[in-house]
Amino acid sequence: MTQSALQFVTPLTFQTLSGHPVHTELLTPEAEYAMGHIALARWAEILLIAPATANVLAKLSHGLADDLLSTLYLAVDCPVYVAPAMNQAMWHKPITQQNLQQLLQQGVKLIAPESGEQACGDVGIGRMAEPASICARVMQVAATQVLHGKKVLITAGPTREPLDPVRYISNRSSGKMGYALASSALAAGAEVTLVSGPVSLMAPRGVKAVYVETAAQMSAAVMAEVPHCDIFIGAAAVADYTPEISQPAKIKKQAEQTTLNLLKTQDILATVANLSNAPFSVGFAAETDHLEQNALDKLHRKQLDMVAANWVGREQGGFESDQNALTVFWNTGQQTFALMDKTILATQLIHLIATRFNEKHYAKNTA
Ligand code: C5P
């Protein structure tokens, strides 16, 4: 509540009706102790300002941050909705409309005021939208939470298999796809754990990240987390072979020719998908040839629910690129996603996974 709002209604009224604490102050020690303004901004999934006065619109559009509400607006990275309420003349004033346009251009969403008789006796546009229609708009956003309450475990990036203390075998995986999936699953309302090999990316805020280096470490981390998860997505490029011996000291350059003995690593994805209480399991197939055939083979051999196949070693898309194209296969169908940004692709893929996951659960529960 802003200082102006406090002159109309007491915080106690809102606290009693909502059953939640009411925040009013920006920088008092008590307020910061209870839940500081930055913690409050991080906690929010949606910021709804209702009623939004002409003064609030003006402050937000100019980046002022002199109270809790305007500071929160600057600090959040969630969707922001404004439901303006003001006298009709103030609504029509060009500067108010200009401020509003500026906010809309920056991504703020408008819940438009309605026309009718106003508190001051004027008739015209400026009455705040009905609370029920404001709630309906906000609930539409909640409908994008297709994985609300679900636990999703994702592997990402390459693994490094040490030859000696300074050398390792690895691959070109950047981790971008796995990290984008973690971000999209989080946005879809899931609780996300990301088991990541060495990459130069920051884990999305809100994701539980477990950092590993070798395939064996990735396997151990996944097995520790998997009993708690509903969906497992294996986006990591796990090494298929690891040196039989990792030398304790740096290998010296002597012989003209040398041989490395490699041992097969455990297939994490296949192990997870074959557990007796396996989560919904999604694999990736990065192929340089026979994409469909190899992907379908993986789907059946590893007993996966879905496999997302993409070409690698070509000009566009694949390992190090920001873009990717995928064809996703499951037992009864397939869907192709054209070349697009990995972040957009991840959101579409998460929605497809959620649909298939729900269908499988519906089928299981109604069988
Ligand atoms: O059989 P292939 O390695 O091509 O399969 C790729 C898929 O299997 C990916 O989803 C990858 O994360 C997973 N995988 C795994 N553990 C391995 C090898 C691959 O989880 N040791």
Side-chain angles (χ1 to χ4, degrees):
M1 293 177 78
T2 59
Q3 291 306 308
S4 306
L6 293 175
Q7 296 183 10
F8 286 91
V9 192
T10 71
L12 189 61
T13 311
F14 272 125
Q15 188 175 311
T16 311
L17 290 175
S18 69
H20 291 282
V22 174
H23 298 264
T24 57
E25 302 294 331
L26 176 56
L27 285 174
T28 62
E30 308 88 81
E32 286 296 300
Y33 180 72
M35 196 184 203
H37 61 282
I38 297 298
L40 203 53
R42 285 186 182 150
W43 167 84
E45 281 138 20
I46 293 172
L47 175 62
L48 164 67
I49 304 173
T53 61
N55 182 49
V56 160
L57 297 180
K59 276 169 57 171
L60 302 189
S61 70
H62 286 83
L64 291 180
D66 61 353
D67 64 1
L68 180 59
L69 178 60
S70 51
T71 308
L72 272 182
Y73 170 71
L74 282 188
V76 294
D77 55 13
C78 62
V80 179
Y81 285 77
V82 288
M86 65 195 74
N87 165 272
Q88 54 84 24
M90 292 170 80
W91 173 254
H92 287 298
K93 194 64 83 185
I95 188 66
T96 303
Q97 288 304 316
Q98 206 174 304
N99 289 335
L100 180 65
Q101 285 312 316
Q102 203 159 331
L103 289 172
L104 298 184
Q105 274 164 21
Q106 287 162 24
V108 170
K109 295 175 184 72
L110 173 68
I111 303 179
E114 291 164 3
S115 186
E117 196 172 330
Q118 302 197 301
C120 51
D122 278 10
V123 176
I125 299 178
R127 261 171 49 162
M128 189 177 82
E130 286 302 317
S133 59
I134 295 176
C135 284
R137 275 290 294 281
V138 172
M139 292 307 283
Q140 275 173 8
V141 184
T144 62
Q145 301 267 299
V146 287
L147 289 177
H148 180 76
K150 296 287 173 278
K151 295 192 171 75
V152 178
L153 176 60
I154 301 174
T155 63
T159 63
R160 282 181 184 168
E161 308 304 317
L163 291 163
D164 66 20
V166 288
R167 304 183 180 98
Y168 54 79
I169 300 175
S170 192
N171 59 63
R172 293 180 185 277
S173 168
S174 63
K176 283 177 189 159
M177 196 64 224
Y179 276 60
L181 285 166
S183 197
S184 300
L186 194 71
E191 214 177 284
V192 182
T193 302
L194 179 66
V195 177
S196 172
V199 294
S200 51
L201 297 170
M202 289 269 288
R205 207 166 63 194
V207 161
K208 176 182 169 188
V210 182
Y211 298 102
V212 297
E213 214 164 289
T214 64
Q217 288 167 359
M218 184 170 277
S219 175
V222 166
M223 291 310 156
E225 295 289 341
V226 85
H228 318 292
C229 82
D230 302 295
I231 298 173
F232 174 69
I233 307 176
V238 188
D240 292 325
Y241 290 92
T242 190
E244 184 177 16
I245 301 163
S246 168
Q247 298 294 346
K250 190 178 167 195
I251 301 166
K252 293 285 174 282
K253 177 173 50 183
Q254 279 166 346
E256 281 307 311
Q257 210 173 29
T258 184
T259 308
L260 270 179
N261 254 352
L262 301 173
L263 297 179
K264 211 168 185 181
T265 57
Q266 186 191 18
D267 191 313
I268 303 170
L269 179 61
T271 309
V272 168
N274 284 278
L275 291 171
S276 58
N277 53 348
F280 186 89
S281 301
V282 183
F284 274 76
E287 306 294 339
T288 54
D289 55 88
H290 302 106
L291 186 71
E292 178 163 353
Q293 196 183 320
N294 284 327
L296 286 173
D297 173 61
K298 256 163 235 184
L299 182 75
H300 299 133
R301 190 164 35 85
K302 301 194 189 191
Q303 300 210 46
L304 306 179
D305 292 292
M306 292 174 93
V307 64
N310 65 299
W311 292 107
V312 285
R314 298 196 162 196
E315 251 170 46
Q316 289 179 309
F319 269 173
E320 285 153 308
S321 169
D322 284 331
Q323 295 197 314
N324 208 1
L326 289 175
T327 301
V328 185
F329 300 91
W330 57 96
N331 269 330
T332 53
Q334 68 180 71
Q335 187 171 335
T336 296
F337 298 94
L339 189 71
M340 63 181 104
D341 227 76
K342 281 182 178 171
T343 52
I344 302 170
L345 180 62
T347 303
Q348 300 198 1
L349 189 54
I350 285 294
H351 279 249
L352 179 62
I353 291 171
T355 307
R356 304 291 323 147
F357 170 81
N358 288 328
E359 275 176 19
K360 185 176 176 185
H361 272 246
Y362 181 73
K364 207 155 81 183
N365 294 335
T366 52

Coordinates of all heavy atoms in Angstrom, one line a residue, residues 125-181:
I125 N -14.6 7.8 -18.6 CA -13.7 6.7 -18.4 C -12.7 7.0 -17.2 O -12.2 8.1 -17.1 CB -12.8 6.5 -19.7 CG1 -13.7 6.1 -20.9 CG2 -11.8 5.4 -19.5 CD1 -13.0 6.0 -22.2
G126 N -12.5 6.0 -16.4 CA -11.5 6.2 -15.3 C -11.8 5.3 -14.1 O -11.0 5.2 -13.2
R127 N -13.0 4.7 -14.1 CA -13.3 3.8 -13.0 C -12.5 2.5 -13.1 O -12.4 1.9 -14.2 CB -14.8 3.3 -13.1 CG -15.7 4.1 -12.2 CD -17.1 3.9 -12.5 NE -17.5 2.5 -12.6 CZ -18.7 2.1 -12.5 NH1 -19.7 2.9 -12.3 NH2 -19.0 0.8 -12.6
M128 N -11.9 2.1 -12.0 CA -11.1 0.8 -12.1 C -12.0 -0.3 -12.6 O -13.1 -0.4 -12.3 CB -10.5 0.5 -10.7 CG -9.5 -0.6 -10.7 SD -8.8 -0.9 -9.1 CE -10.1 -2.0 -8.4
A129 N -11.4 -1.2 -13.4 CA -12.1 -2.4 -13.8 C -12.6 -3.2 -12.6 O -12.0 -3.1 -11.5 CB -11.1 -3.3 -14.6
E130 N -13.7 -3.9 -12.8 CA -14.3 -4.7 -11.7 C -13.2 -5.7 -11.2 O -12.5 -6.3 -12.0 CB -15.5 -5.5 -12.2 CG -16.7 -4.6 -12.4 CD -17.1 -3.8 -11.2 OE1 -17.1 -4.4 -10.1 OE2 -17.5 -2.6 -11.3
P131 N -13.1 -5.8 -9.8 CA -12.1 -6.8 -9.3 C -12.2 -8.2 -9.9 O -11.2 -8.8 -10.1 CB -12.5 -6.8 -7.8 CG -13.0 -5.4 -7.5 CD -13.8 -5.0 -8.8
A132 N -13.4 -8.6 -10.2 CA -13.6 -10.0 -10.8 C -12.9 -10.1 -12.1 O -12.3 -11.1 -12.4 CB -15.1 -10.3 -10.9
S133 N -13.0 -9.0 -12.9 CA -12.4 -9.1 -14.3 C -10.9 -8.9 -14.1 O -10.1 -9.5 -14.9 CB -13.0 -8.1 -15.3 OG -12.9 -6.8 -14.8
I134 N -10.4 -8.1 -13.1 CA -9.0 -8.1 -12.9 C -8.5 -9.4 -12.5 O -7.4 -9.9 -13.1 CB -8.7 -7.0 -11.8 CG1 -9.1 -5.6 -12.2 CG2 -7.2 -7.1 -11.4 CD1 -8.9 -4.6 -11.1
C135 N -9.2 -10.1 -11.6 CA -8.7 -11.5 -11.2 C -8.7 -12.4 -12.4 O -7.8 -13.2 -12.6 CB -9.7 -12.1 -10.2 SG -9.4 -11.3 -8.6
A136 N -9.7 -12.3 -13.3 CA -9.8 -13.2 -14.4 C -8.6 -13.0 -15.3 O -8.0 -14.0 -15.8 CB -11.1 -12.9 -15.2
R137 N -8.2 -11.7 -15.5 CA -7.0 -11.5 -16.4 C -5.7 -12.1 -15.7 O -4.9 -12.7 -16.4 CB -6.7 -10.0 -16.5 CG -7.5 -9.3 -17.6 CD -7.0 -9.7 -19.0 NE -5.7 -9.2 -19.3 CZ -5.4 -8.0 -19.7 NH1 -6.3 -7.1 -19.8 NH2 -4.2 -7.7 -20.0
V138 N -5.6 -11.9 -14.4 CA -4.4 -12.4 -13.8 C -4.4 -14.0 -13.8 O -3.4 -14.6 -13.9 CB -4.3 -11.9 -12.3 CG1 -3.2 -12.6 -11.5 CG2 -4.1 -10.4 -12.4
M139 N -5.6 -14.6 -13.7 CA -5.7 -16.0 -13.7 C -5.3 -16.6 -15.1 O -4.8 -17.7 -15.2 CB -7.1 -16.5 -13.3 CG -7.5 -16.3 -11.9 SD -6.3 -16.9 -10.7 CE -6.7 -18.6 -10.8
Q140 N -5.5 -15.8 -16.1 CA -5.1 -16.3 -17.5 C -3.6 -16.5 -17.5 O -3.1 -17.4 -18.1 CB -5.4 -15.2 -18.5 CG -6.8 -15.3 -19.0 CD -7.1 -14.1 -19.9 OE1 -6.2 -13.3 -20.3 NE2 -8.4 -14.0 -20.3
V141 N -2.8 -15.6 -16.8 CA -1.4 -15.8 -16.7 C -1.1 -17.1 -16.0 O -0.2 -17.8 -16.4 CB -0.7 -14.6 -15.9 CG1 0.8 -14.7 -16.0 CG2 -1.2 -13.3 -16.5
A142 N -1.8 -17.3 -14.9 CA -1.6 -18.5 -14.1 C -1.8 -19.8 -15.0 O -1.2 -20.8 -14.7 CB -2.5 -18.5 -12.9
A143 N -2.7 -19.7 -16.0 CA -3.0 -20.8 -16.9 C -1.7 -21.2 -17.7 O -1.7 -22.3 -18.2 CB -4.1 -20.5 -17.8
T144 N -0.7 -20.3 -17.8 CA 0.5 -20.7 -18.5 C 1.4 -21.6 -17.6 O 2.4 -22.1 -18.0 CB 1.3 -19.5 -19.0 OG1 1.7 -18.8 -17.8 CG2 0.5 -18.6 -19.9
Q145 N 0.9 -21.7 -16.3 CA 1.7 -22.5 -15.4 C 1.4 -24.0 -15.6 O 0.9 -24.7 -14.7 CB 1.3 -22.1 -14.0 CG 1.6 -20.6 -13.7 CD 3.0 -20.4 -13.1 OE1 3.3 -20.9 -12.0 NE2 3.8 -19.7 -13.8
V146 N 1.8 -24.5 -16.8 CA 1.4 -25.9 -17.1 C 2.1 -27.0 -16.3 O 1.7 -28.1 -16.3 CB 1.7 -26.1 -18.6 CG1 0.7 -25.4 -19.5 CG2 3.1 -25.8 -19.0
L147 N 3.2 -26.6 -15.6 CA 3.9 -27.6 -14.7 C 3.8 -27.2 -13.3 O 4.7 -27.5 -12.5 CB 5.3 -27.7 -15.2 CG 5.5 -28.4 -16.5 CD1 7.0 -28.5 -16.9 CD2 5.0 -29.9 -16.5
H148 N 2.7 -26.5 -12.9 CA 2.6 -26.0 -11.6 C 2.7 -27.2 -10.6 O 2.0 -28.2 -10.7 CB 1.3 -25.3 -11.4 CG 1.1 -24.7 -10.0 ND1 1.8 -23.6 -9.5 CD2 0.4 -25.2 -8.9 CE1 1.5 -23.4 -8.3 NE2 0.6 -24.4 -7.9
G149 N 3.6 -27.0 -9.6 CA 3.8 -28.0 -8.5 C 4.5 -29.3 -9.0 O 4.7 -30.2 -8.1
K150 N 4.9 -29.4 -10.2 CA 5.7 -30.6 -10.7 C 7.2 -30.4 -10.4 O 7.7 -29.3 -10.5 CB 5.4 -30.8 -12.2 CG 4.0 -31.1 -12.5 CD 3.6 -32.5 -12.0 CE 2.1 -32.8 -12.1 NZ 1.3 -32.3 -11.1
K151 N 7.8 -31.5 -10.2 CA 9.3 -31.4 -10.0 C 10.0 -31.9 -11.2 O 9.7 -33.1 -11.7 CB 9.7 -32.3 -8.8 CG 9.0 -31.8 -7.5 CD 9.7 -32.4 -6.3 CE 9.2 -31.8 -5.0 NZ 7.8 -32.1 -4.6
V152 N 10.9 -31.1 -11.7 CA 11.5 -31.4 -13.0 C 13.0 -31.5 -12.8 O 13.6 -30.5 -12.2 CB 11.2 -30.4 -14.1 CG1 11.9 -30.7 -15.4 CG2 9.7 -30.3 -14.3
L153 N 13.7 -32.5 -13.2 CA 15.1 -32.7 -13.1 C 15.7 -32.6 -14.5 O 15.3 -33.4 -15.4 CB 15.4 -34.1 -12.4 CG 16.9 -34.5 -12.2 CD1 17.6 -33.5 -11.4 CD2 16.9 -35.9 -11.6
I154 N 16.7 -31.8 -14.7 CA 17.3 -31.6 -16.0 C 18.8 -31.7 -15.9 O 19.4 -31.2 -15.0 CB 16.9 -30.2 -16.5 CG1 15.4 -30.0 -16.6 CG2 17.6 -29.9 -17.9 CD1 15.0 -28.6 -17.0
T155 N 19.4 -32.4 -16.9 CA 20.9 -32.4 -17.0 C 21.2 -31.5 -18.2 O 20.5 -31.4 -19.1 CB 21.5 -33.8 -17.2 OG1 21.0 -34.3 -18.5 CG2 21.1 -34.8 -16.1
A156 N 22.4 -30.9 -18.0 CA 22.8 -29.9 -19.1 C 24.3 -29.9 -19.2 O 25.1 -30.2 -18.3 CB 22.3 -28.5 -18.8
G157 N 24.8 -29.5 -20.4 CA 26.2 -29.3 -20.6 C 27.0 -30.5 -20.9 O 26.4 -31.6 -21.0
P158 N 28.3 -30.4 -21.1 CA 29.1 -31.6 -21.4 C 29.6 -32.2 -20.0 O 29.3 -31.7 -19.0 CB 30.3 -31.0 -22.1 CG 30.5 -29.6 -21.4 CD 29.1 -29.2 -21.0
T159 N 30.3 -33.3 -20.1 CA 31.0 -33.8 -19.0 C 32.5 -33.8 -19.4 O 32.8 -33.7 -20.5 CB 30.6 -35.3 -18.6 OG1 31.0 -36.1 -19.6 CG2 29.1 -35.4 -18.2
R160 N 33.3 -33.8 -18.4 CA 34.8 -33.9 -18.6 C 35.3 -35.1 -18.0 O 35.1 -35.4 -16.8 CB 35.5 -32.7 -17.9 CG 35.3 -31.4 -18.6 CD 36.0 -30.3 -17.9 NE 35.8 -29.0 -18.5 CZ 36.1 -27.9 -18.0 NH1 36.7 -27.8 -16.7 NH2 35.9 -26.8 -18.6
E161 N 36.0 -35.9 -18.8 CA 36.6 -37.2 -18.3 C 38.1 -37.1 -18.2 O 38.8 -37.0 -19.2 CB 36.2 -38.3 -19.2 CG 34.7 -38.4 -19.5 CD 33.8 -38.5 -18.3 OE1 34.1 -39.3 -17.4 OE2 32.8 -37.8 -18.2
P162 N 38.6 -37.0 -17.0 CA 40.1 -36.7 -16.9 C 41.0 -37.8 -17.3 O 40.8 -39.0 -17.1 CB 40.2 -36.4 -15.4 CG 39.1 -37.2 -14.7 CD 38.0 -37.2 -15.7
L163 N 42.1 -37.4 -18.0 CA 43.2 -38.3 -18.4 C 44.3 -38.2 -17.4 O 45.0 -39.2 -17.1 CB 43.7 -37.8 -19.8 CG 42.8 -38.0 -21.0 CD1 43.3 -37.2 -22.2 CD2 42.8 -39.5 -21.4
D164 N 44.5 -37.0 -16.9 CA 45.5 -36.7 -15.9 C 45.0 -35.4 -15.2 O 44.0 -34.9 -15.6 CB 46.9 -36.7 -16.5 CG 47.1 -35.5 -17.5 OD1 46.4 -34.5 -17.4 OD2 48.1 -35.6 -18.3
P165 N 45.8 -34.8 -14.3 CA 45.3 -33.6 -13.6 C 45.1 -32.4 -14.5 O 44.4 -31.5 -14.1 CB 46.4 -33.3 -12.6 CG 47.2 -34.6 -12.4 CD 47.1 -35.3 -13.7
V166 N 45.6 -32.4 -15.7 CA 45.4 -31.2 -16.5 C 44.6 -31.5 -17.8 O 44.2 -30.5 -18.5 CB 46.8 -30.5 -16.9 CG1 47.4 -29.9 -15.7 CG2 47.7 -31.5 -17.5
R167 N 44.4 -32.7 -18.2 CA 43.8 -33.0 -19.5 C 42.5 -33.8 -19.3 O 42.4 -34.5 -18.4 CB 44.7 -33.8 -20.4 CG 46.1 -33.1 -20.6 CD 46.9 -33.9 -21.6 NE 48.2 -33.3 -21.9 CZ 49.3 -33.7 -21.3 NH1 49.2 -34.7 -20.3 NH2 50.4 -33.2 -21.6
Y168 N 41.6 -33.6 -20.2 CA 40.3 -34.3 -20.2 C 39.7 -34.5 -21.6 O 40.1 -33.8 -22.5 CB 39.3 -33.6 -19.3 CG 39.0 -32.1 -19.7 CD1 38.2 -31.8 -20.8 CD2 39.6 -31.1 -19.0 CE1 38.0 -30.5 -21.1 CE2 39.4 -29.8 -19.3 CZ 38.6 -29.5 -20.4 OH 38.3 -28.2 -20.7
I169 N 38.8 -35.4 -21.7 CA 38.0 -35.6 -22.9 C 36.7 -35.0 -22.7 O 36.0 -35.2 -21.6 CB 37.8 -37.1 -23.2 CG1 39.2 -37.8 -23.4 CG2 37.0 -37.3 -24.4 CD1 39.1 -39.3 -23.5
S170 N 36.2 -34.2 -23.6 CA 34.9 -33.5 -23.5 C 34.3 -33.3 -24.8 O 34.7 -34.0 -25.8 CB 35.1 -32.2 -22.8 OG 33.9 -31.7 -22.4
N171 N 33.3 -32.5 -24.9 CA 32.6 -32.3 -26.2 C 32.2 -30.8 -26.3 O 32.4 -30.0 -25.4 CB 31.5 -33.2 -26.4 CG 30.4 -33.1 -25.3 OD1 29.8 -32.0 -25.1 ND2 30.3 -34.1 -24.5
R172 N 31.5 -30.5 -27.4 CA 31.2 -29.1 -27.7 C 29.9 -28.5 -27.1 O 29.5 -27.4 -27.4 CB 31.1 -28.8 -29.2 CG 32.4 -29.0 -29.9 CD 32.2 -28.8 -31.4 NE 33.4 -29.0 -32.2 CZ 34.4 -28.2 -32.4 NH1 34.3 -27.0 -31.8 NH2 35.4 -28.5 -33.1
S173 N 29.3 -29.3 -26.2 CA 28.0 -28.9 -25.7 C 28.2 -27.6 -24.9 O 29.1 -27.5 -24.0 CB 27.4 -30.0 -24.8 OG 26.4 -29.4 -24.0
S174 N 27.3 -26.6 -25.1 CA 27.4 -25.3 -24.4 C 26.5 -25.3 -23.2 O 26.6 -24.4 -22.3 CB 27.0 -24.2 -25.4 OG 25.6 -24.4 -25.7
G175 N 25.5 -26.2 -23.1 CA 24.5 -26.2 -22.0 C 23.4 -25.3 -22.3 O 22.4 -25.2 -21.5
K176 N 23.4 -24.5 -23.4 CA 22.4 -23.5 -23.6 C 20.9 -24.1 -23.6 O 20.0 -23.5 -23.1 CB 22.6 -22.8 -24.9 CG 23.7 -21.7 -24.8 CD 24.0 -21.1 -26.2 CE 25.2 -20.2 -26.1 NZ 25.8 -20.0 -27.4
M177 N 20.8 -25.3 -24.3 CA 19.5 -25.9 -24.4 C 19.0 -26.3 -23.0 O 17.8 -26.0 -22.7 CB 19.5 -27.1 -25.4 CG 18.2 -27.5 -25.9 SD 17.4 -26.3 -26.9 CE 15.7 -26.5 -26.2
G178 N 19.8 -27.0 -22.3 CA 19.4 -27.4 -20.9 C 19.1 -26.3 -20.0 O 18.1 -26.4 -19.3
Y179 N 19.9 -25.2 -20.1 CA 19.6 -24.1 -19.2 C 18.3 -23.4 -19.6 O 17.6 -22.9 -18.8 CB 20.8 -23.1 -19.2 CG 21.9 -23.5 -18.3 CD1 22.6 -24.7 -18.4 CD2 22.3 -22.6 -17.2 CE1 23.6 -25.1 -17.5 CE2 23.3 -23.0 -16.3 CZ 23.9 -24.2 -16.4 OH 24.9 -24.6 -15.5
A180 N 18.1 -23.3 -20.9 CA 16.8 -22.7 -21.4 C 15.6 -23.5 -21.0 O 14.6 -22.9 -20.6 CB 16.9 -22.5 -22.9
L181 N 15.8 -24.8 -21.0 CA 14.7 -25.7 -20.5 C 14.4 -25.5 -19.1 O 13.3 -25.5 -18.6 CB 15.0 -27.2 -20.8 CG 14.9 -27.6 -22.3 CD1 15.6 -28.9 -22.5 CD2 13.5 -27.7 -22.7

